[in-house]
Every structure is written in structure tokens, then in C-alpha cells.
Amino acid sequence: SRFETCWPALMKDSHGVIIIFNPELPSHLKEIEMWYSCFVQQQPLLDSQCLLVAHHKPGGAGDTENLSLAYPLNKLKLIHSNLEEDPEDVRMEFIKYFRSIITIINESRDREEMSIIS
């Protein structure tokens, strides 16, 4: 990818990764493995700091709702977004995800402060 030189700058000090893909494209399913490897495993971030979003376009095939991803992607939180049908569900999932990231940040900051004190 022509943007690979920018990746280290994008990753620096990041606390979470959201990977949005089209579940109807087999090529996307291969690509998300690469994104996960580069942006989550190599940082390293916890799996709980990564959110997968299978985005369904209006009028797309409906059978991708039962998407089963292979290991290690099947360990990640996966949400389906269909902004025509349930934008509110997607919003709630994003809020939950952001709350979990904030919790992780606060916990690691507390650990750092304790290690400085002790």
C-alpha cells in the first residue's frame, strides 16, 4: 500500500483500532487480517482495543449477517452496521467501545503512577 510509510505515525500512541470492512467482498476479509496484524498485534494492543465493523451497504446481500471469521479475528468484537435499518444500535456499540478504551487508558495511567510512586 502506498500509505505504509505513514503507518508508524498513525500508530504512535494509539489506544484503539476500528477496522471497517465490507463483508460482501472476499478481498476485504483477507485485508482485515493484514490490518489486524499491523495495527493491533505489532503495536501491541489488546484484542479488546480493536473493534471490527462489518458495514452493510443499502440493498446488499443479507446473508453476510452470519459472518464467521477465522482465528484470530474471531476473538474480536464484531458489530454489523446498517445505517438504514439500525443506526441507533451502531451508535450504542461505538459508545460502549469508547468507554472500554477510556477504562483501559485510565487503568494503564493508574499503573504508571503507582510504579512512579513505588
Side-chain angles (χ1 to χ4, degrees):
S1 155
R2 58 200 162 132
F3 296 118
E4 276 181 50
T5 49
C6 308
W7 288 2
L10 285 172
M11 291 188 231
K12 187 179 177 333
D13 300 329
S14 63
H15 295 292
V17 174
I18 298 173
I19 299 173
I20 302 173
F21 65 100
N22 181 345
E24 293 172 34
L25 293 181
S27 62
H28 273 207
L29 299 180
K30 288 283 356 133
E31 278 176 38
I32 56 177
E33 289 178 24
M34 188 253 325
W35 291 111
Y36 171 74
S37 168
C38 293
F39 280 84
V40 181
Q41 289 179 310
Q42 289 174 30
Q43 286 216 70
L45 291 176
L46 302 168
D47 285 340
S48 56
Q49 288 168 278
C50 182
L51 178 66
L52 291 181
V53 181
H55 184 64
H56 299 268
K57 289 185 171 167
D63 58 357
T64 48
E65 285 285 342
N66 300 318
L67 195 61
S68 59
L69 296 171
Y71 180 86
L73 298 173
N74 60 4
K75 302 181 300 175
L76 304 173
K77 171 85 176 155
L78 168 68
I79 66 170
H80 290 270
S81 78
N82 183 329
L83 300 180
E84 278 194 324
E85 287 175 22
D86 48 16
E88 190 55 29
D89 281 5
V90 177
R91 201 172 73 87
M92 292 311 296
E93 289 293 349
F94 268 102
I95 290 169
K96 271 196 283 195
Y97 170 70
F98 287 125
R99 282 196 184 130
S100 72
I101 295 294
I102 290 164
T103 303
I104 289 167
I105 294 168
N106 288 339
E107 285 171 357
S108 72
R109 198 172 52 216
D110 291 347
R111 273 196 304 275
E112 278 171 30
E113 286 172 4
M114 287 309 290
S115 68
I116 292 165
I117 293 166
S118 50

